Amino acid sequence: MKVKELIKNTKVVKSQEILNREVSGIFYDSRKVLPGGIFVAIHGTSADGNAFVQEAIERGASVVVTEKRDLVLPSGVGLIVVENSRKFLAEIADIYYHSPSKNLKIVGVTGTKGKTSTAMILKEIFEAASFKTGLIGTIQYEVGQRIVPSTNTTPESIDIQALLAEMVRAGLTHAILEVSSHSIDQGRIECISFDAGIFTNIASHEHLDYHKNFRNYLESKLKFFSTYLPASKKKDKIAVINIDDVYSRIFINTAREKKLNVVTYGLSRKAEFKAENFTFDRNGTSFVLRGKKFSTKLLGSGNLYNCLAAISTAVSSGISIDTAVSVLGNIKNIPGRMEFIDTGRPFTVVVDYAHTHRALEELLKTVRHLNPGRILLVFGCGGDRDRSKRPIMGKIAARFADRVYITSDNPRNENPNQIISDIYRGIPFWYKRKCELIPDRRSAIKSALSCARENDWVVIAGKGHEQYQIIKNIFYQFDDRKVVLELLKEINN
């Protein structure tokens, strides 16, 4: 494809020496540039792509896209100046891959909690209805039989378009995308033709390191329903909203103003998909929806809402409710989400991704409902992330757990001891005696396992499915689930 074909419908401030050049690929990471490629310099959260223009040229970039009007390039390297490089990247990515989203039924899932579980449940229902479905989410990207570990919940626009194009080539008909607030704010989902959007919930003290305040965070989530879903040229677009969320009315009104078909779910009597007779125990969750009895091994109120979101979307898309009943009965777990570890011991071990105060509270309340002997909680908070939630999470942990082992999560560039101190600061003095501060995560898990007695629950929170720990921007192999099994062998010996 020639450059002139890529840019003919885009807004370019200035260009030179480029129009008839053939494009070998589009890149935003200078380390991955191939000869004859276009390098788009975008502003990342920690780096500016303009700092890597020289490296991109050395690797063979024939055209550079930038917002800098005064950028000087070597002779023979083409230049395109644009007002918004991220938006431009999304536009040319869609053109380069021939607008694959137009050939797929695409559902976007956004919210603070429940995106991954909702997306994976919905994928199972679609597949059971004989819809070949791809997935782009927090845990992994799935294209047919090809599964790739995720790098971002919602990757960069060019990566999304490449995955969607691969899905089309593989004969898939549907795709489900987890849509993060970062991706909405940065325009990574620009030019994707969505058929439906799901709003799970929204909580304060989430991603404030990026959004700065809750209002910005809320507006970012709303933008999916006010801008990106309405912009799709698909017909009969659906907005599926959790009516029980305190901010649901804002999302419902926004969706209706944009002429979207609104579908609501929840426990409220006003919900179109209203769950009744909801109960759960150690063996799973059950509820009644539209006269049908649902049973699933997924535990707790959080998973009830995830199931309702998936069912509402599937049924509103023409799938029979009986198909959903069958699928939920066969789902055993979602990786790293209330995932039980088979230890063969008289106590229970659960690994969960809960890394916000609201998610942690919901997790611990769910476990408490199951009448454990004691709850032994291992958790920490991520570094280089919102610090204001740390004391809040400490207070919640100490309130709902019987023993608390405060440890490292992904400290990144922060001092792990400082993060732990921030958490500990929020714990009332009368709860402090139940807490231990153990910076090494493996040692903290070992302490909890060694302390566990019959009928106790060891709850390991924060990292869930992750198979690494980030310390000083270095990724070390670390999987809570594997570490548990390794430590139990050590304890035995």
Side-chain angles (χ1 to χ4, degrees), residues 235-255:
K235 295 181 179 179
D236 302 319
K237 296 183 289 290
I238 303 170
V240 182
I241 310 293
N242 172 8
I243 199 171
D244 294 342
D245 187 86
V246 67
Y247 294 96
S248 65
R249 182 51 52 189
I250 300 174
F251 284 84
I252 290 170
N253 290 342
T254 297

Side-chain angles (χ1 to χ4, degrees), residues 343-411:
T343 65
R345 303 304 176 92
F347 53 83
T348 299
V349 180
V350 169
V351 170
D352 192 88
Y353 191 52
H355 59 281
T356 67
H357 70 284
R358 187 166 165 180
L360 185 64
E361 181 174 350
E362 183 179 290
L363 169 65
L364 294 174
K365 282 182 175 179
T366 296
V367 175
R368 184 62 70 190
H369 176 84
L370 301 173
N371 298 315
R374 295 177 302 164
I375 298 176
L376 311 179
L377 172 66
V378 180
F379 91 106
C381 290
D384 300 335
R385 298 293 185 267
D386 177 24
R387 297 182 180 187
S388 64
K389 71 180 180 182
R390 295 172 186 172
I392 300 172
M393 291 182 69
K395 184 177 182 179
I396 288 169
R399 178 184 174 192
F400 291 102
D402 298 288
R403 294 288 302 168
V404 181
Y405 302 85
I406 305 175
T407 188
S408 297
D409 189 280
N410 291 318

Side-chain angles (χ1 to χ4, degrees), residues 296-353:
T296 177
K297 295 187 182 300
L298 303 177
L299 286 180
S301 60
N303 275 316
L304 168 68
Y305 281 98
N306 298 335
C307 290
L308 287 175
I311 296 165
S312 304
T313 306
V315 173
S316 298
S317 301
I319 296 173
S320 75
I321 197 166
D322 290 324
T323 298
V325 170
S326 176
V327 168
L328 260 66
N330 291 323
I331 295 177
K332 294 181 179 179
N333 67 58
I334 306 295
R337 273 64 177 172
M338 198 73 172
E339 183 174 354
F340 290 87
I341 310 302
D342 185 5
T343 65
R345 303 304 176 92
F347 53 83
T348 299
V349 180
V350 169
V351 170
D352 192 88
Y353 191 52

Side-chain angles (χ1 to χ4, degrees), residues 207-492:
H207 299 307
L208 297 190
D209 52 295
Y210 177 85
H211 293 289
K212 306 307 178 187
N213 57 60
F214 177 69
R215 180 171 182 171
N216 290 342
Y217 179 49
L218 175 62
E219 288 178 352
S220 176
K221 293 292 187 185
L222 274 172
K223 191 175 180 180
F224 179 63
F225 296 93
S226 66
T227 301
Y228 291 113
L229 184 56
S232 168
K233 291 183 173 56
K234 302 286 185 63
K235 295 181 179 179
D236 302 319
K237 296 183 289 290
I238 303 170
V240 182
I241 310 293
N242 172 8
I243 199 171
D244 294 342
D245 187 86
V246 67
Y247 294 96
S248 65
R249 182 51 52 189
I250 300 174
F251 284 84
I252 290 170
N253 290 342
T254 297
R256 285 178 174 158
E257 286 171 5
K258 296 298 180 178
K259 310 301 182 186
L260 302 174
N261 297 312
V262 176
V263 175
T264 58
Y265 67 90
L267 299 176
S268 166
R269 61 183 179 82
K270 295 182 179 180
E272 294 172 59
F273 287 83
K274 178 182 181 295
E276 299 175 302
N277 302 329
F278 162 55
T279 62
F280 71 93
D281 57 25
R282 174 66 175 78
N283 297 313
T285 298
S286 65
F287 59 93
V288 174
L289 178 64
R290 295 192 170 184
K292 300 288 183 177
K293 174 74 176 289
F294 284 82
S295 296
T296 177
K297 295 187 182 300
L298 303 177
L299 286 180
S301 60
N303 275 316
L304 168 68
Y305 281 98
N306 298 335
C307 290
L308 287 175
I311 296 165
S312 304
T313 306
V315 173
S316 298
S317 301
I319 296 173
S320 75
I321 197 166
D322 290 324
T323 298
V325 170
S326 176
V327 168
L328 260 66
N330 291 323
I331 295 177
K332 294 181 179 179
N333 67 58
I334 306 295
R337 273 64 177 172
M338 198 73 172
E339 183 174 354
F340 290 87
I341 310 302
D342 185 5
T343 65
R345 303 304 176 92
F347 53 83
T348 299
V349 180
V350 169
V351 170
D352 192 88
Y353 191 52
H355 59 281
T356 67
H357 70 284
R358 187 166 165 180
L360 185 64
E361 181 174 350
E362 183 179 290
L363 169 65
L364 294 174
K365 282 182 175 179
T366 296
V367 175
R368 184 62 70 190
H369 176 84
L370 301 173
N371 298 315
R374 295 177 302 164
I375 298 176
L376 311 179
L377 172 66
V378 180
F379 91 106
C381 290
D384 300 335
R385 298 293 185 267
D386 177 24
R387 297 182 180 187
S388 64
K389 71 180 180 182
R390 295 172 186 172
I392 300 172
M393 291 182 69
K395 184 177 182 179
I396 288 169
R399 178 184 174 192
F400 291 102
D402 298 288
R403 294 288 302 168
V404 181
Y405 302 85
I406 305 175
T407 188
S408 297
D409 189 280
N410 291 318
R412 297 183 177 86
N413 291 307
E414 284 195 65
N415 183 332
N417 291 314
Q418 182 58 56
I419 298 173
I420 290 171
S421 177
D422 290 343
I423 297 169
Y424 191 65
R425 179 165 45 84
I427 299 173
F429 72 89
W430 57 87
Y431 283 145
K432 289 186 184 293
R433 64 183 180 179
K434 67 165 70 174
C435 301
E436 290 187 46
L437 314 183
I438 308 175
D440 180 73
R441 191 173 182 89
R442 186 182 183 93
S443 297
I445 294 172
K446 185 173 184 178
S447 293
L449 293 172
S450 299
C451 184
R453 302 193 295 254
E454 185 173 357
N455 295 325
D456 285 348
W457 280 56
V458 177
V459 179
I460 305 170
K463 292 178 60 59
H465 65 281
E466 292 179 351
Q467 299 176 32
Y468 55 81
Q469 188 173 29
I470 310 171
I471 303 173
K472 297 295 182 185
N473 280 341
I474 298 174
F475 285 68
Y476 295 92
Q477 193 171 36
F478 197 103
D479 185 325
D480 285 345
R481 299 163 295 186
K482 291 182 179 179
V483 168
V484 166
L485 299 177
E486 292 168 2
L487 288 173
L488 286 174
K489 288 181 181 179
E490 289 180 18
I491 294 169
N492 273 350

